[in-house]
Amino acid sequence: MAVSGATPRVAWACEAERSRGRLVPEPEMPPRSPFRRDCDRIIHSTAFRRLKQKTQVFVFNEGDHYRTRLTHTLEVVQVARSIARALGLDEDLAEALALAHDLGHPPFAHAGERALDACMAGQGGFDHNAQSLRVVTRIEGRYAAFDGLNLTWETLEGIAKHNGPLTDCEGNGIGRYRDGLPHAIRVHSAQQDLELWSHASAEAQVAAISDDIAYDVHDLDDGLRARMFTLDDIAGLPLVGEALASVRGRYPGLDVPRTVNEVLRLVITLLIEDVVAESTRRAQAAGVASAEDVRALGAPIVAFSDAMRQKEKALKGFLFPRMYRHERVNRIMAEAQGVIRDLFAYFINRPKDLPPSWQDGIETLEGERLARRVCDYIAGMTDRYALDQHARFFDSTPDLR
């Protein structure tokens, strides 16, 4: 793999020693850099541990070898560190953002997110990216001096806008946020300016594209394992089919499990190498000389080449109907959405049944503030805990198999 060696730090990398610091000032703790401390705080958080039983595509009880939200996150970390190392960026910041990117995901993956968003309609909605920011700035309660994890500005910036700017220069929401910013973003922006109008650091962009690479490859693996499609079904796809032909040519007669592994290894290598080459090209063409240049560039600096983007798009186009919209997945996720809706309605009407740790000031909450408390509680649940709570309060709970 051509990206295995470390590259000297580039001028457009974030520098830990020049970090904009934390909202609540704290003394530094050498030899750990501020970004390394962010990684450690995220790893030790409750929200991170809960990812082990949150759905990626298949719910936790469907098999031991399918990805969970935690194993997905660890694969994103591995890809992000590889790309950051090859580009000469700060690996710890890239890792922190990869570790944190899904902390706000509710149970049952995007089906759970859609259900919570519908429950919160007219009351600020629900967005898992924004919820990740809320988790690390408000919900985690581990320290005496502050709520949340008190992460560095650069990590919070990357969590909020790793997929690109959220507003224009006048502060108006753009893209998916044209009708307004998510609740968590608005609340935190009143305390700290994350410059929502600009692009995030190159390290944040690395985490974002690593998310795409990881789930493209591991969802292909899980879909094959679940027999939703076969190797012959993917033989005609660009990139994946080309990798399959290469492996079959090099290892004729190789058994299917090893063939799959060799194909996936080759695909992930080709995707990473393409990102490194294209990002290097863009940086040289733009003449960026600092992390601030990256933020002000007006376009992503970390990206696939045009040719690879089309190949990656074709893979997503294959997976969408055959896996994400597969009848089996749709049926299970429809039942899971019902679990989320039931729990939300129950706790809105009976907030005193929330656990003691969620009871603080509950008698004074109403309307949107009560709904947000219930939403935060449900969003933090694992799949298993959500089903257990549903079985506790309702006569019938789906098996989700």
Side-chain angles (χ1 to χ4, degrees), residues 256-305:
V256 171
R258 293 186 190 224
T259 298
V260 171
N261 288 333
E262 289 294 330
V263 169
L264 298 179
R265 288 178 60 236
L266 180 53
V267 168
I268 204 166
T269 297
L270 293 172
L271 288 168
I272 290 174
E273 289 179 339
D274 182 83
V275 169
V276 171
E278 176 63 14
S279 303
T280 301
R281 185 194 69 77
R282 290 188 179 202
Q284 292 172 347
V288 291
S290 69
E292 294 308 312
D293 287 349
V294 172
R295 294 186 174 97
L297 192 57
I301 198 169
V302 177
F304 294 119
S305 66

Side-chain angles (χ1 to χ4, degrees), residues 6-160:
T7 298
R9 183 65 58 88
V10 292
W12 41 283
C14 280
E15 299 178 69
E17 58 272 19
R18 295 179 182 270
S19 169
R20 300 194 197 184
R22 305 177 190 277
L23 190 59
V24 178
E26 296 182 62
E28 295 303 331
M29 295 183 66
R32 291 186 301 163
S33 76
F35 301 150
R36 184 67 249 163
R37 289 179 72 193
D38 284 356
C39 291
D40 297 343
R41 289 184 175 192
I42 294 165
I43 289 170
H44 287 279
S45 69
T46 302
F48 185 76
R49 290 195 299 276
R50 286 176 180 159
L51 295 177
K52 69 181 180 180
Q53 286 192 339
K54 290 195 177 188
T55 296
Q56 181 64 28
V57 175
F58 300 106
V59 293
F60 74 96
N61 59 5
E62 287 201 76
D64 292 337
H65 297 125
Y66 297 119
R67 269 66 173 193
T68 65
R69 192 64 56 177
L70 177 60
T71 56
H72 160 71
T73 294
L74 295 177
E75 292 182 36
V76 176
V77 168
Q78 183 269 329
V79 175
R81 289 197 69 102
S82 295
I83 295 174
R85 184 180 304 116
L87 287 174
L89 300 173
D90 190 289
E91 290 184 50
D92 289 332
L93 179 56
E95 178 180 342
L97 292 163
L99 287 167
H101 83 283
D102 270 352
L103 291 179
H105 245 298
F108 311 124
H110 291 286
E113 180 173 15
R114 289 191 295 270
L116 270 184
D117 189 42
C119 291
M120 293 295 293
Q123 302 188 80
F126 179 84
D127 177 281
H128 86 265
N129 284 324
Q131 190 71 9
S132 294
L133 183 67
R134 186 167 173 83
V135 166
V136 301
T137 57
R138 296 178 71 87
I139 294 176
E140 283 286 327
R142 307 181 64 81
Y143 298 90
F146 46 78
D147 290 331
L149 304 180
N150 199 35
L151 304 178
T152 60
W153 185 92
E154 291 78 8
T155 298
L156 296 180
E157 175 213 27
I159 292 172

Side-chain angles (χ1 to χ4, degrees), residues 55 57-63 66 107-109 111-112 114 228 324-341 383 387 398-401:
T55 296
V57 175
F58 300 106
V59 293
F60 74 96
N61 59 5
E62 287 201 76
Y66 297 119
F108 311 124
R114 289 191 295 270
M228 291 178 165
Y324 310 136
R325 289 294 178 265
H326 191 280
E327 182 277 331
R328 168 182 161 193
V329 173
N330 279 348
R331 174 181 54 79
I332 291 173
M333 289 300 108
E335 293 177 335
Q337 285 184 312
V339 170
I340 297 295
R341 290 192 297 267
D383 295 4
L387 291 171
D399 188 38
L400 300 189
R401 292 179 189 272

Side-chain angles (χ1 to χ4, degrees), residues 351-373:
K352 290 190 176 181
D353 282 350
L354 289 167
S357 59
W358 291 84
Q359 287 288 331
D360 184 37
I362 197 73
E363 65 279 352
T364 67
L365 298 183
E366 57 184 16
E368 183 175 341
R369 293 178 66 206
L370 174 59
R372 187 59 57 183
R373 177 74 62 88

Side-chain angles (χ1 to χ4, degrees), residues 384-400:
R384 182 171 64 184
Y385 185 75
L387 291 171
D388 287 347
Q389 289 296 289
H390 192 275
R392 178 184 174 192
F393 297 117
F394 293 89
D395 293 334
S396 178
T397 297
D399 188 38
L400 300 189

